[in-house]
Amino acid sequence: MEHQPFTIAQMRPIRDCMTVSRPANLGKEVPVTWFSLGAGTTITPESYDCTTLYVGAMGNGRFILGEDSRAVPFAGDDFLAVPPKTLCGTSTDIGMIYTEIILKKENTILNNIIKAGQPTALKDLISYEEVSIANVDLVHADNMKFVLMAFDAGTSLPPHRAPGNAILTALEGKAIIDYEGQDYELNAGESFRFDKNGLHSVIPQGKFKMSLLLVIE
């Protein structure tokens, strides 16, 4: 993962008959964990006292939500926000991989385009704007941001440094990531990690959508 394109499936591959979790180690105050579930496995519903976010990476299954055990279909590229104190479990018939983000801060703000308990494909939450870079802050607090960006053809981000560790994920199209003077091609479904203050730029190859999870500590 260190400064190379990667997929969540590579970091936490599916294992038959097992559910496995692996911390992403972006920061101590914003727990980010990769989960993989083998075919036919489940995670028993439990609840957190804070909002949790789930970002799909591969496969599909169901989130089991609330006291009435409502089954919510969840696909490989979906995004789901679960409110505090809501029972939440998962199950899958074919296998599933996703990222869990626990929002501990009480002052965390969610964009009102997010409908709690309703999965939505991340790339559908932002549109391209002519000859422009569009930005949507989905979630932010003083120690983290989860952002969507859409680059129209011909636009790019010049070299800059971020104030925390970050993972960028390509949602649509492809881009060249220049990290500390070396170029990497990033395709839809692939991710790239930046260290705090790492110099980087984003040069889309045509239209390009991405998400960015930034942890500031």
Side-chain angles (χ1 to χ4, degrees):
M1 185 180 70
E2 282 300 315
H3 312 141
Q4 293 285 339
F6 67 94
T7 65
I8 307 304
Q10 288 171 334
M11 302 308 299
R12 184 51 273 146
I14 290 174
R15 302 299 186 205
D16 289 344
C17 305
M18 298 173 66
T19 63
V20 187
S21 63
R22 174 176 177 171
N25 294 322
L26 283 182
K28 295 179 181 179
E29 295 302 317
V30 183
V32 178
T33 307
W34 297 316
F35 281 82
S36 69
L37 284 72
T41 63
T42 65
I43 295 179
T44 302
E46 57 187 17
S47 66
Y48 293 101
D49 288 344
C50 51
T51 298
T52 52
L53 308 178
Y54 297 92
V55 184
M58 180 180 173
N60 62 66
R62 296 160 297 280
F63 273 76
I64 312 302
L65 300 179
E67 298 289 345
D68 59 352
S69 299
R70 177 170 61 97
V72 176
F74 189 81
D77 59 353
D78 277 347
F79 170 83
L80 173 67
V82 177
K85 304 184 188 301
T86 300
L87 284 173
C88 176
T90 54
S91 67
T92 178
D93 298 325
I94 67 168
M96 179 168 63
I97 299 173
Y98 59 83
T99 300
E100 177 188 73
I101 305 166
I102 300 176
L103 305 178
K104 291 183 176 181
K105 288 284 187 177
E106 293 182 1
N107 63 342
T108 300
I109 298 173
L110 275 66
N111 192 303
N112 60 15
I113 65 174
I114 298 173
K115 306 303 180 186
Q118 299 179 20
T120 307
L122 276 175
K123 65 183 180 182
D124 293 341
L125 293 175
I126 190 169
S127 61
Y128 293 109
E129 301 297 327
E130 185 177 1
V131 199
S132 303
I133 301 172
N135 181 100
V136 171
D137 282 1
L138 280 188
V139 183
H140 67 91
D142 57 8
N143 65 347
M144 67 84 63
K145 292 186 78 171
F146 188 58
V147 182
L148 301 182
M149 300 183 72
F151 297 75
D152 197 18
T155 62
S156 63
L157 283 180
H160 61 285
R161 303 179 190 275
N165 296 327
I167 290 180
L168 179 160
T169 300
L171 303 175
E172 186 172 84
K174 68 178 180 179
I176 301 299
I177 306 300
D178 181 308
Y179 185 77
E180 295 289 356
Q182 185 166 347
D183 288 347
Y184 303 89
E185 183 176 288
L186 195 70
N187 295 285
E190 294 181 327
S191 299
F192 196 94
R193 176 180 172 134
F194 306 121
D195 290 337
K196 181 178 180 178
N197 293 322
L199 184 65
H200 62 280
S201 63
V202 180
I203 308 168
Q205 308 299 288
K207 291 178 179 288
F208 179 67
K209 291 183 181 181
M210 65 177 232
S211 67
L212 179 69
L213 174 59
L214 174 65
V215 175
I216 305 167
E217 294 184 358

